[in-house]
Amino acid sequence: MRVEITVNGQAHSREIEPRLLLVHFLRDTLSLTGTHVGCDTSSCGACTVLLDGEAVKSCTVLAAQADGLAVTTVEGLAGEDGLSPVQEGFRQCHGLQCGFCTPGMVMAATALLAENPDPTEQEIRGGLKGNMCRCTGYQMIVESVQWAAANGGAK
Amino acid sequence: MIPAGFSYVRAGSVEEALDELSRHGGAARPLAGGHSLLPAMKLRRAEPGVLVDIGRLRELSYVRADGDRIAVGALTSHRTLERDPVVAAQVPLLAAAARRIGDPQVRNRGTIGGSLAHADPAADLAGAVLALDGVLVARGPAGVREIPAREFFTGRCRNALAPGELLTEIRLPAAPGRSYAFEKFSRRALDWAVVGVAAQARPGGGVAIALIGMGPTPVRATAVEEALAAGEPAAEAARLAAWGCEPPDDAVASASYRTHLAEVLVTRALAAL
Ligand SMILES: Cc1cc2nc3c(=O)[nH]c(=O)nc-3n(C[C@H](O)[C@H](O)[C@H](O)COP(=O)(O)OP(=O)(O)OC[C@H]3O[C@@H](n4cnc5c(N)ncnc54)[C@H](O)[C@@H]3O)c2cc1C
Ligand code: FES
Ligand code: FES
């Protein structure tokens, strides 16, 4: 089947198998490997992208379900003037160690701040509940999101 | 993990979805949010030949006040239930249950119709709809029919839908200002309830209580309801929480631990009312 999916503002039309998962469309078909696969069982959130602005786990969405819609991946966040506030927050506050969970964390945090520009610590933890990190113990991730909220938000 | 091959049809209307489902017979399955079906397909626990994607049927995503009933379209997402002002005012127990499902990403995709049709015995919305005495509306080749929630769940991941039928709407009696409680115990890294309790005060006194995770289907805690109606104190009534239940004994929890949890959670729910 043919799908037309806009990724980070650029339209892509491709012939795919219906069973192709969105995460594989991004990583294998478009070579956008910023989106990671951690668990492949809908649990870890490393594969989180925005689908028409909503955070979704792209390992649990068919590329066919994204046909005609707009996807934002971590590659689409930085603008002409550099990193997005969320990305910059992770850099400023040391919100990562190995970096494996980071693309998903950054996308989930971006979705959270788009909806709730001034979240409490509890709201940040709730907003990132679907994202797991094996390294940081989460505290510095929460601080990174707080930094972003105070410095431009979702962008 | 890659699902087995299938063909994909996106339905543009409910009629089209019903036509596709009956045309392909048992080989076809509706796809709503995909957050139960796709994980099962990736594990090859489900291998439908045809997926009929109903996910874009906006006509089935709504919350409407309809006299003394609230009508919720089957494609309404968990996220919408969490935030919808009509749900918050009229059936807040449903919002409380929706808020406890999984994580934001799951709630963005998952739908009430998919959750009920999947009929997991630990599904949060199933508990809420059962406690609220909801009625499920099904549309199929033979027309439209109403199925009371009490008759909908027929076994572990089994429901009363006939082949080719779609769940289109959930009808709930409006309960503005009625006190309610949703108590759920889950393991830290797992969102699903080990055991959960949905409870709502009845207008003339008494309480409606549903349990999740306590058997092959969500169930009403009839013994507790009757004891409360007969004037028993809450602590006494809560002891009957697991009465008649056959809780699973599995890697998540033993049957006796679930029995204990049911009593504790019913006690907390009654205290919160
Ligand atoms: C990581 C994770 C955590 C989760 N945690 C929880 C939790 O804590 N609590 C909880 O309750 N749930 C949880 N869920 C399940 C989630 O709520 C699902 O979204 C829900 O169970 C299924 O809804 P869906 O719209 O995704 O349905 P789908 O997966 O699309 O469909 C599920 C089944 O229902 C059928 N179906 C769908 N819609 C209809 C319809 N309108 N008529 C007839 N049949 C239909 C499908 O054919 C399929 O058999 C979790 C899921 C994941 C992936
Ligand atoms: S890879 Fe998608 S949730 Fe883990
Ligand atoms: S930084 Fe290593 S998993 Fe999060």
Side-chain angles (χ1 to χ4, degrees):
Chain A
M1 65 179 291
R2 182 155 280 274
V3 291
E4 303 214 2
I5 304 177
T6 300
V7 181
N8 303 328
Q10 199 184 330
H12 297 275
S13 176
R14 290 287 193 284
E15 198 61 42
I16 59 157
E17 263 196 90
R19 61 176 169 167
L20 183 70
L21 299 168
L22 179 58
V23 71
H24 295 136
F25 178 79
L26 296 170
R27 288 179 55 86
D28 304 341
T29 309
L30 302 185
S31 300
L32 290 171
T33 52
T35 303
H36 292 169
V37 180
C39 64
D40 207 6
T41 57
S42 328
S43 308
C44 74
C47 64
T48 301
V49 300
L50 307 186
L51 183 59
D52 271 4
E54 286 193 327
V56 302
K57 292 176 173 176
S58 62
C59 73
T60 314
V61 176
L62 299 171
Q65 290 174 292
D67 181 26
L69 307 184
V71 175
T72 309
T73 69
V74 71
E75 289 95 340
L77 288 183
E80 305 259 290
D81 45 352
L83 296 180
S84 77
V86 175
Q87 290 175 308
E88 187 60 35
F90 274 69
R91 189 169 128 186
Q92 292 297 328
C93 301
H94 199 60
L96 61 147
Q97 287 177 31
C98 79
F100 194 86
C101 69
T102 314
M105 285 289 176
V106 165
M107 298 317 291
T110 300
L112 169 71
L113 292 181
E115 182 189 319
N116 181 357
D118 188 21
T120 62
E121 178 183 342
Q122 228 29 60
E123 286 167 343
I124 293 172
R125 290 183 186 275
L128 300 180
K129 190 168 177 246
N131 295 73
M132 295 183 188
C133 177
R134 298 284 80 172
C135 305
T136 63
Y138 300 99
Q139 184 56 35
M140 289 182 291
I141 291 178
V142 172
E143 286 163 13
S144 304
V145 179
Q146 287 169 327
W147 189 97
N151 290 276
K155 189 193 74 161
Chain B
M1 296 176 304
I2 315 283
F6 54 85
S7 49
Y8 172 92
V9 196
R10 186 178 307 132
S13 66
V14 175
E15 287 72 24
E16 211 178 296
L18 292 172
D19 282 351
E20 290 291 345
L21 287 171
S22 59
R23 198 152 68 81
H24 299 288
R29 290 271 285 273
L31 174 71
H35 270 50
S36 288
L37 187 49
L38 293 176
M41 288 172 62
K42 287 170 72 179
L43 294 167
R44 308 267 172 136
R45 284 192 193 139
E47 299 194 8
V50 182
L51 281 189
V52 179
D53 188 354
I54 58 172
R56 302 255 178 116
L57 297 181
R58 291 270 151 79
E59 58 191 292
L60 288 186
S61 173
Y62 56 83
V63 177
R64 284 187 208 125
D66 176 14
D68 54 3
R69 281 191 319 205
I70 303 304
V72 179
L75 263 292
T76 308
S77 71
H78 305 335
R79 210 65 203 281
T80 302
L81 297 177
E82 250 183 280
R83 302 174 190 167
D84 185 88
V86 174
V87 173
Q90 305 290 335
V91 277
L93 174 58
L94 195 65
R99 211 166 281 132
R100 297 295 301 275
I101 298 173
D103 53 54
Q105 291 96 319
V106 170
R107 298 199 292 274
N108 280 337
R109 295 297 293 171
T111 67
I112 184 170
S115 174
L116 298 175
H118 184 61
D120 189 291
D124 299 304
L125 294 178
V129 169
L130 189 60
L132 288 164
D133 282 315
V135 171
L136 285 67
V137 181
R139 223 172 115 179
V144 179
R145 65 185 179 119
E146 294 194 341
I147 311 168
R150 279 178 192 258
E151 293 165 20
F152 185 76
F153 305 104
T154 53
R156 195 185 158 73
C157 297
R158 294 183 161 274
N159 64 46
L161 292 174
E165 262 185 334
L166 273 184
L167 203 51
T168 54
E169 186 175 280
I170 295 85
R171 296 181 181 155
L172 303 162
R178 207 87 64 67
S179 61
Y180 65 92
F182 189 79
E183 295 288 336
K184 170 176 174 178
F185 183 84
S186 25
R187 293 201 306 183
R188 201 166 169 80
L190 201 83
D191 311 300
W192 286 94
V194 179
V195 174
V197 175
Q200 181 172 279
R202 290 179 191 283
V207 184
I209 304 170
L211 302 172
I212 55 175
M214 282 298 287
T217 67
V219 286
R220 286 287 284 260
T222 324
V224 183
E225 293 181 354
E226 284 170 2
L228 290 169
E232 293 270 348
E236 293 300 315
R239 284 212 188 115
L240 304 170
W243 191 86
C245 291
E246 292 166 41
D249 200 25
D250 57 26
V252 174
S254 65
S256 66
Y257 183 56
R258 282 193 164 90
T259 299
H260 167 75
L261 275 178
E263 182 182 329
V264 170
L265 296 176
V266 167
T267 305
R268 284 187 197 162
L270 294 177
L273 286 180

